[in-house]
Amino acid sequence: MSVRREDLPADFVIGTATAAYQVEGATREDGRGESIWDAFARVPGAIADGSTGDVADDHYHRLHEDIELMASLGVDAYRFSISWPRIQPDGTGPLNPAGLAFYRELALALVAKGITPYATLYHWDLPQTLQDRGGWLNRDTADRFAAYARMTVAGLGDVVQHWITLNEPWCSSFLSYAGGEHAPGLQVGTDAARAAHHLLLAHGKAVPLMRAAAPDAVVGITLNLYSVVPASEDPADVDAARRIDGLSNRFFLDPVLRGEYPADVLDDLGQRDWFAEHAGAEDLAAVSAPIDFLGVNYYSRHTTRAGVATSGRSPHPGSESVEMVDTGAPRTHMGWEVHPDGLVDVLRMVEARSPGLPTYITENGAAYEDAVGPDGVVHDEDRRAYLEQHLVACADAVREGLPLRGYFIWTLLDNFEWAWGYSRRFGIVHVDYATQRRTPKDSGRWLAGFLGGTLGADRG
Ligand code: IFM
């Protein structure tokens, strides 16, 4: 199975993606405030290798080198995120000019190289001051986000046209407030659904303000969606799939695209009364504000079966009894099953709710246990194959008539993989953290060959 550039439309966008806390470093420079990830990374045991994002890929100081690298790969676009505490240190008040200047320099340099910037406003690094007031459990955080979004778009909208409000609100609510695996590391159980609502409200409140700030803005939100299938036709396994599909996919897709929360999921969560009182018609009208595209992060499939309820922390509160089955299919270093056809499944979910809404795969990629060979190169055939298989799935989706407009590889550089620290490598470019030397892996060279970049397939 192989894919050529010609198998995708000429205007199909192919890019790479990163996020601020994972690559930038410079966490205490130029007036940046503290984020919840700075605080969480200091909690003993929170990060697998005890590391932090203090230096990460030092991208803050190496952005021009990194843009050169992208230009040599031949990418059309770069999706990066804006660090809220770099732009607005305390989450309120005026913007920090030095923070804004960094992103302006980045965006201008991209445009100068013919690379289209796609900016995400929230990729998990909430200002700590807002966490001290309750974080996403506090409804006021939605208003704070909307104000930050308006000012940031006003400040950069002349250079950046494509905007993503939130990245993966499932992670910043259920994984972070119930699973406790991500900052702020809380375990409030099914009340995590309230954090999810405030995140979606933040998105909905921001959209009209962003459009007012930059009338040409192209605005979307990115959800992480999973293909979910039951392990058998046993009704209990089928119900397990309903629950996980509900919590991971429908709980976010339905309010954003249909203006309603799925009633069965509110029941699973035991949150029907709270939502009736606090997430009424006005909120849902805001959450379902028309968007120009939906970003979809797709990595894997869940195969579910009914199991025995566990008492430990779970990112699936209210559905702790569901077990994920190992189908025996190949898995990445994250333990995530490789299932390229699922990429088409999740795009069909979007199409069923909002026919014709343009979509982008805003993240797809894989961690593998890379090693630099004696020849100084990383021969990551497993990652190259993963990327190719998912680009084949993109071509299948387009052929099926699904309005998929682009694909972003996660990720450009090996980087700080959240609770895994630097122990998981997703990059198509290897980073030696001791020297910050960047070395394109074979997958990166393959991408350059695919895109006609100057890096090409030759070694040099
Ligand atoms: O590294 C993350 C990214 O920040 C969000 N999506 C999933 C990636 C891999 O875990």
Side-chain angles (χ1 to χ4, degrees):
M1 204 176 6
S2 65
V3 66
R4 295 162 307 146
R5 189 69 178 89
E6 305 75 69
D7 296 332
L8 292 156
D11 59 355
F12 190 88
V13 175
I14 297 188
T16 53
T18 64
Y21 190 71
Q22 296 181 271
V23 297
E24 284 179 5
T27 52
R28 292 181 191 82
E29 283 181 47
D30 296 334
R32 179 186 177 279
E34 169 148 295
S35 84
I36 56 174
W37 272 93
D38 298 304
F40 186 63
R42 289 197 296 268
V43 175
I47 310 296
D49 58 6
S51 63
T52 71
D54 282 355
V55 177
D57 291 334
D58 197 29
H59 174 70
Y60 190 73
H61 300 115
R62 296 169 192 260
L63 77 151
H64 294 288
E65 179 191 344
D66 291 340
I67 291 171
E68 280 298 334
L69 197 52
M70 280 187 262
S72 73
L73 290 168
V75 297
D76 305 314
Y78 176 49
R79 174 179 175 236
F80 59 93
S81 83
I82 291 177
S83 162
W84 185 348
R86 199 182 285 293
I87 287 265
Q88 194 185 35
D90 288 332
T92 57
L95 296 193
N96 168 25
L100 196 66
F102 168 72
Y103 294 107
R104 173 167 287 277
E105 184 179 343
L106 170 64
L108 284 170
L110 287 167
V111 171
K113 291 282 176 192
I115 300 171
T116 305
Y118 284 63
T120 303
L121 285 162
Y122 186 69
H123 199 126
W124 308 350
D125 42 358
L126 189 74
Q128 179 61 34
T129 43
L130 296 185
Q131 190 62 48
D132 295 341
R133 294 179 210 156
W136 291 109
L137 289 173
N138 180 354
R139 184 181 171 96
D140 184 57
T141 303
D143 291 306
R144 299 279 64 77
F145 174 80
Y148 148 71
R150 178 182 60 73
M151 289 191 281
T152 305
V153 172
L156 296 173
D158 58 328
V159 198
V160 179
Q161 191 185 11
H162 294 84
W163 293 93
I164 293 165
T165 53
L166 308 180
N167 181 68
E168 301 184 353
W170 178 84
C171 292
S172 30
S173 54
F174 291 110
L175 188 63
S176 306
Y177 282 79
E181 291 170 46
H182 278 190
L186 298 180
Q187 295 176 46
V188 302
T190 58
D191 283 358
R194 303 174 187 183
H197 176 62
H198 295 148
L199 277 152
L200 294 180
L201 189 60
H203 154 78
K205 284 176 178 257
V207 170
L209 298 181
M210 293 164 70
R211 293 196 196 288
D216 292 340
V218 179
V219 181
I221 178 174
T222 281
L223 304 179
N224 50 316
L225 301 179
Y226 297 86
S227 176
V228 183
V229 291
S232 78
E233 288 171 16
D234 184 315
D237 291 348
V238 173
D239 189 61
R242 177 195 64 74
R243 284 170 173 274
I244 299 304
D245 171 52
L247 206 54
S248 315
N249 300 325
R250 291 184 289 117
F251 199 70
F252 296 90
L253 281 170
D254 287 358
V256 170
L257 300 181
R258 287 181 168 159
E260 62 190 20
Y261 281 103
D264 63 315
V265 184
L266 289 178
D267 286 343
D268 294 342
L269 289 162
Q271 292 286 333
R272 206 185 252 262
D273 291 347
W274 188 90
F275 273 69
E277 195 176 336
H278 301 280
E282 202 178 319
D283 279 12
L284 283 162
V287 169
S288 58
I291 47 177
D292 300 307
F293 67 92
L294 189 82
V296 174
N297 290 356
Y298 175 74
Y299 288 91
S300 188
R301 169 172 82 163
H302 291 318
T303 303
T304 61
R305 87 171 149 230
V308 179
T310 53
S311 56
R313 65 186 191 179
S314 167
H316 298 119
S319 294
E320 287 87 351
S321 60
V322 175
E323 289 175 5
M324 304 296 179
V325 175
D326 185 348
T327 62
R331 288 180 178 254
T332 69
H333 195 200
M334 298 295 280
W336 299 347
E337 181 183 303
V338 179
H339 186 67
D341 290 348
L343 183 146
V344 186
D345 295 342
V346 298
L347 293 175
R348 289 188 192 124
M349 290 178 197
V350 179
E351 181 70 3
R353 288 167 174 80
S354 200
L357 178 69
T359 52
Y360 291 85
I361 297 295
T362 38
E363 284 180 30
N364 173 252
Y368 286 106
E369 288 184 82
D370 299 325
V372 181
D375 53 357
V377 179
V378 177
H379 299 292
D380 58 340
E381 171 53 23
D382 31 22
R383 179 177 295 102
R384 191 208 64 77
Y386 180 101
L387 297 175
E388 181 164 39
Q389 287 161 12
H390 286 80
L391 277 164
V392 168
C394 288
D396 290 345
V398 171
R399 214 171 300 115
E400 191 176 308
L402 294 167
L404 177 63
R405 302 284 187 255
Y407 171 88
F408 290 78
I409 291 174
W410 187 267
T411 179
L412 175 67
L413 304 167
D414 290 337
N415 60 43
F416 179 80
E417 177 51 31
W418 306 113
W420 291 98
Y422 299 97
S423 70
R424 295 293 181 278
R425 292 179 178 268
F426 275 87
I428 55 173
V429 174
H430 180 269
V431 176
D432 177 336
Y433 296 113
T435 62
Q436 291 294 342
R437 184 184 154 90
R438 278 86 162 122
T439 307
K441 303 178 188 177
D442 277 358
S443 57
R445 292 183 178 278
W446 172 82
L447 181 73
F450 178 77
L451 294 174
T454 53
L455 190 67
D458 58 310
R459 308 235 165 271

